[in-house]
Amino acid sequence: MGAKEYSKAPDGGWGWVVAVAFFLVEMFTYGIIKSFGIFLQDMMEEFGETNSRVSWIISICVFIMTPLSSVMMNRFGFQFVVMIGGLLISTGTIATSFTSSLNQIYITYGLVTLGYCLTFLPTVTILSKYFSHRRSLVTALASTGESLAMSALAPKIGWRHTMAVIGALQSVIIICGVLLRPIIIKPRMSQSQNIETSSSKELEALKTQENVDSLVLENIETTNGVLSLKDTCTPEENTSLDKEAKLETAPNSLEKSKEPETEKHNKDDKQMMDQGEGCNSGCTKQSAANSRLLDFSILKDSSFVLYSLFGLFATLGFFAPPLYIIELSVSHGMEREQATYMLSIMAVAEIFGRFVIGWVLSQNVFRTRKLQVLLVCVIMMTVDLVGFTLVTHFYTLALCCIVYGFFMGTIACTHIPMLAEDEVVGVERMSSAAGVYVFIQSFAGLGGPPLGVLVDVTKNYGAAFYSCAVGMGLSAVFLGFVRPAKKGLPCRRRSPKC
């Protein structure tokens, strides 16, 4: 399907189809990553490996989320990139079910995660372009796909069979790629601009005609023969002679007057053509700059750098609960069957959190305070991560899972779409900014193995939660400085005295 041009974001139309596609992509990418904790113990027992070695699988999932997708979608378009990603995901997941060692899983799941990289970012980017006023609500609703995947996979049927079934279902992502119709936002030219553009040509034509007429009259009046006749003839003769003189001299004078005017028009046309060529070359250079494979010039924006550091440390805070909540519950004396339902509790609470944050951010009172709302959610998440280490009973752990799931939903569905807000970078620069943002965020994937080592050394799963709470707390600090940096940046650019 070809690109469709709009004067502004349609806030609907084909955007609803893109939202459904994003829902399915979320389900079969991040939903699967966050559900991986249910396979952790089975893989450790089957392959005889430690926590740190198995946790490398999740680290690969996060770290390989590089800006490759941003590079490729700028080069090949959204549809082709997502279709290739869907093929890689389906093939890699099915291949993982046939592996015989953890090293083989590193390779096959690396292929899967490369597909994740090529599908998630293009889908969320194009969805943000289809919606403006409803962006927060639609993104929140569509992103519930990953939460549904968590709740569906919690009652496992064995990790190998589950991987094979998931791989077959993930082929749906290829169809989702076909549905991502490109969109072009071209603001309409204002009425005053149209009048100025059209009237300038008409005024120039009228001015040229007036110049020609004035030159004709001057040439007629200054002709020697006419002047001598006027001085010697009667008024009646002068009138007849004036008519004859006009008839005789008008063609010649018109020819003479047209020569300089023609030269003038030729010069003007040449200048206009030169200006047009200059504009075209300038526009070409500008479009080339805008379509650069990866635009690291965004790093000059201090508010974006701070927001990227927020994403980096917040991702560190996401690791522990989905990966270690089952083992933490078992360590407190719960049955493993009972402990697996903690993931389902998180998933249901996360769906509710996504609905709530979508509704909140769509309200007029919060449209200019979205960063503050996100900051409150991050602070509450930090407190809850500490709470995991202080409780030991089923119901208190379930309560922590509810709080974590709720605020996880609020943060997960807003941190990337928030780039489209003017408080961060704006929708015009989102494609390049999202690629760089995900590139910086992906380094958090290196935090998985150290957490595994920490658990192996301390024999305490609570240590991983403490570490994630520190990361989430640091992310809150960086997020708190984004808005002040954005407000101060234009001031510093305009005047050093400001």
Side-chain angles (χ1 to χ4, degrees):
M1 289 178 286
K4 197 164 184 179
E5 188 175 308
Y6 295 91
S7 60
K8 62 179 182 178
D11 265 326
W14 193 260
W16 296 115
V17 178
V18 177
V20 173
F22 179 63
F23 174 87
L24 295 172
V25 169
E26 276 275 278
M27 177 181 289
F28 293 117
T29 55
Y30 273 107
I32 304 303
I33 293 175
K34 290 168 67 175
S35 303
F36 198 81
I38 63 177
F39 308 128
L40 185 66
Q41 190 63 31
D42 290 345
M43 289 184 174
M44 289 172 59
E45 292 176 357
E46 181 170 338
F47 298 122
E49 298 288 356
T50 61
N51 270 297
S52 58
R53 286 267 295 165
V54 175
S55 62
W56 264 110
I57 300 173
I58 300 298
S59 296
I60 291 171
C61 290
V62 178
F63 184 64
I64 207 169
M65 289 281 192
T66 63
L68 176 63
S69 58
S70 182
V71 172
M72 290 190 66
M73 71 184 182
N74 286 338
R75 188 70 177 269
F76 302 108
F78 295 95
Q79 294 170 308
F80 176 77
V81 173
V82 174
M83 290 170 67
I84 293 297
L87 181 62
L88 291 175
I89 291 171
S90 180
T91 304
T93 305
I94 294 174
T96 300
S97 65
F98 294 100
T99 55
S100 58
S101 69
L102 199 60
N103 291 331
Q104 292 178 4
I105 294 180
Y106 291 159
I107 297 172
T108 58
Y109 230 73
L111 187 67
V112 169
T113 315
L114 181 61
Y116 289 168
C117 169
L118 298 180
T119 54
F120 172 76
L121 189 59
T123 313
V124 71
T125 300
I126 194 170
L127 180 63
S128 298
K129 292 183 177 182
Y130 267 99
F131 291 89
S132 177
H133 296 298
R134 299 175 180 173
R135 183 185 298 137
S136 299
L137 181 60
V138 172
T139 305
L141 296 179
S143 64
T144 56
E146 67 179 77
S147 304
L148 291 177
M150 288 177 63
S151 59
L153 289 176
K156 60 183 183 296
I157 56 174
W159 75 270
R160 291 187 183 275
H161 292 93
T162 304
M163 286 288 181
V165 172
I166 290 172
L169 294 174
Q170 284 173 328
S171 60
V172 174
I173 297 176
I174 300 174
I175 301 174
C176 294
V178 178
L179 299 176
L180 301 182
R181 177 187 290 173
I183 180 174
I184 299 173
I185 305 295
K186 254 187 190 176
R188 290 179 182 174
M189 189 180 293
S190 64
Q191 188 174 359
S192 59
Q193 289 174 331
N194 283 330
I195 292 171
E196 289 175 1
T197 304
S198 60
S199 62
S200 60
K201 295 180 180 178
E202 294 174 1
L203 288 172
E204 186 179 353
L206 290 171
K207 186 176 179 181
T208 303
Q209 185 63 35
E210 289 175 359
N211 290 336
V212 172
D213 293 341
S214 63
L215 284 170
V216 170
L217 292 174
E218 287 175 4
N219 286 331
I220 292 172
E221 290 177 358
T222 56
T223 305
N224 291 331
V226 174
L227 287 173
S228 60
L229 287 169
K230 279 184 179 180
D231 293 336
T232 57
C233 296
T234 62
E236 292 80 3
E237 291 173 340
N238 283 338
T239 303
S240 62
L241 286 170
D242 284 343
K243 290 180 181 179
E244 292 177 3
K246 285 180 182 180
L247 291 172
E248 291 176 359
T249 58
N252 294 330
S253 60
L254 279 171
E255 290 177 2
K256 291 179 181 179
S257 63
K258 282 181 180 177
E259 289 177 2
E261 287 299 318
T262 304
E263 293 176 1
K264 181 180 177 182
H265 278 292
N266 289 337
K267 289 180 181 179
D268 291 342
D269 291 342
K270 187 176 181 181
Q271 288 176 357
M272 291 175 67
M273 289 176 67
D274 292 339
Q275 289 175 357
E277 290 175 359
C279 178
N280 289 334
S281 62
C283 294
T284 304
K285 290 177 182 178
Q286 187 177 1
S287 62
N290 291 335
S291 61
R292 276 182 288 182
L293 296 182
L294 196 62
D295 185 11
F296 281 100
S297 66
I298 193 72
L299 292 174
K300 295 178 182 178
D301 190 336
S302 59
S303 61
F304 173 77
V305 173
L306 289 168
Y307 192 81
S308 297
L309 291 173
F310 148 71
L312 173 66
F313 287 100
T315 305
L316 288 173
F318 293 160
F319 267 102
L323 191 60
Y324 294 121
I325 185 58
I326 295 176
E327 302 307 319
L328 178 68
S329 301
V330 171
S331 68
H332 289 317
M334 297 180 197
E335 296 291 334
R336 185 167 293 277
E337 289 286 332
Q338 191 180 28
T340 55
Y341 287 102
M342 291 295 177
L343 281 177
S344 296
I345 293 171
M346 283 185 184
V348 174
E350 188 172 333
I351 292 173
F352 185 66
R354 290 171 187 267
F355 275 101
V356 171
I357 196 66
W359 178 82
V360 169
L361 295 183
S362 63
Q363 302 303 304
N364 291 330
V365 68
F366 293 113
R367 280 185 180 171
T368 58
R369 298 180 176 88
K370 292 182 178 180
L371 284 178
Q372 290 94 320
V373 175
L374 182 60
L375 179 59
V376 171
C377 295
V378 173
I379 293 172
M380 294 301 297
M381 173 83 83
T382 305
V383 174
D384 185 63
L385 285 169
V386 176
F388 273 105
T389 64
L390 303 176
V391 298
T392 56
H393 300 291
F394 175 82
Y395 291 107
T396 51
L397 273 174
L399 179 61
C400 287
C401 288
I402 291 172
V403 175
Y404 173 84
F406 180 86
F407 288 106
M408 176 67 179
T410 61
I411 298 170
C413 71
T414 55
H415 72 108
I416 292 181
M418 194 72 73
L419 290 168
E421 302 297 329
D422 293 333
E423 291 177 310
V424 188
V425 296
V427 69
E428 295 82 7
R429 305 176 70 188
M430 184 182 176
S431 296
S432 296
V436 179
Y437 174 77
V438 171
F439 174 63
I440 296 172
Q441 183 192 16
S442 66
F443 282 94
L446 299 177
L451 285 180
V453 172
L454 186 64
V455 170
D456 290 335
V457 171
T458 62
K459 305 299 181 182
N460 180 15
Y461 288 98
F465 287 81
Y466 272 125
S467 301
C468 290
V470 172
M472 190 64 71
L474 288 173
S475 73
V477 174
F478 288 113
L479 182 61
F481 284 107
V482 171
R483 187 180 177 89
K486 192 67 174 180
K487 284 187 173 182
L489 188 61
C491 184
R492 289 196 298 272
R493 282 181 177 174
R494 287 174 190 166
S495 173
K497 297 180 182 179
C498 192

